[in-house]
Amino acid sequence: MSHLPIWYLSNINPALCDDVIAECSARDFEMAAMGEIAGEKNSHYRNTSIQFLPTGHRLEKFLKDVAYTANQQCKWDYLLSDNEEIQFARYTEKQLYNWHTDTFLLGLKPFDRKITVVCLLNDPAEFDGGDFKVKLYQEYVAPLKQGSVIAFPSMLEHCVTPIISGTRYSATIWINGPKFR
């Protein structure tokens, strides 16, 4: 089956990743919620500790640039308008995020998430489990290392498998655009 690329890979400097982890580890986390207005908490489906980075954080421009480059090079050609705040996530033993999409096609907001950009902030040798998978007709495991950045259409199903041991850190930004028609 032939189709457009399901993801675009880039990377950032591991030293910047370490700085972001140190910066965020000093702040409080909250348990992540799900849904268009983030009202539902279900730890069997999503069990992740998160916080949001301030608008204009030093990662924002880079992650946005990756999204816009992916949109052009992968020929997704989405109309893009703005982004949401970066979500910093910490996954510890038994934490996970089951299969889901980031777009709520029947949602009530006047925009849709078009591109999701995820950066793995720490070395996968620091944790067991925690694979990042994307699904389109079959499951693909993203080949991520510290500093890897993956951009993909927000409508694709994806997940983070349970952490067996250690801690996994990531940063995610969503690029929005006019509602799909």
Side-chain angles (χ1 to χ4, degrees), residues 29-73:
F29 287 83
E30 61 185 72
M31 288 308 295
M34 302 176 302
E36 184 179 30
I37 53 175
E40 181 183 346
K41 293 188 180 184
N42 178 339
S43 64
H44 297 288
Y45 196 81
R46 183 181 190 189
N47 183 358
T48 316
S49 305
I50 63 165
Q51 58 183 268
F52 288 92
L53 304 182
T55 300
H57 189 276
R58 59 189 168 187
L59 279 180
E60 186 174 323
K61 181 182 182 326
F62 178 80
L63 297 179
K64 282 172 54 174
D65 286 349
V66 170
Y68 280 84
T69 299
N71 193 40
Q72 179 184 22
Q73 289 193 7

Side-chain angles (χ1 to χ4, degrees), residues 43-47 96-101 158-162:
S43 64
H44 297 288
Y45 196 81
R46 183 181 190 189
N47 183 358
L96 75 157
Y97 197 171
N98 274 311
W99 290 105
H100 66 284
T101 66
H158 55 285
C159 71
V160 176
T161 62

Side-chain angles (χ1 to χ4, degrees), residues 18 33 44-45 49 53-54 60 73 77 79-80 85 88 96-97 107 113 125 134 141 160-161 165 168-169 175:
D18 291 338
H44 297 288
Y45 196 81
S49 305
L53 304 182
E60 186 174 323
Q73 289 193 7
D77 296 328
L79 295 175
L80 304 175
E85 292 177 312
F88 177 85
L96 75 157
Y97 197 171
R113 288 177 172 171
V134 177
V141 177
V160 176
T161 62
S165 64
R168 179 189 192 277
Y169 296 100
I175 311 300

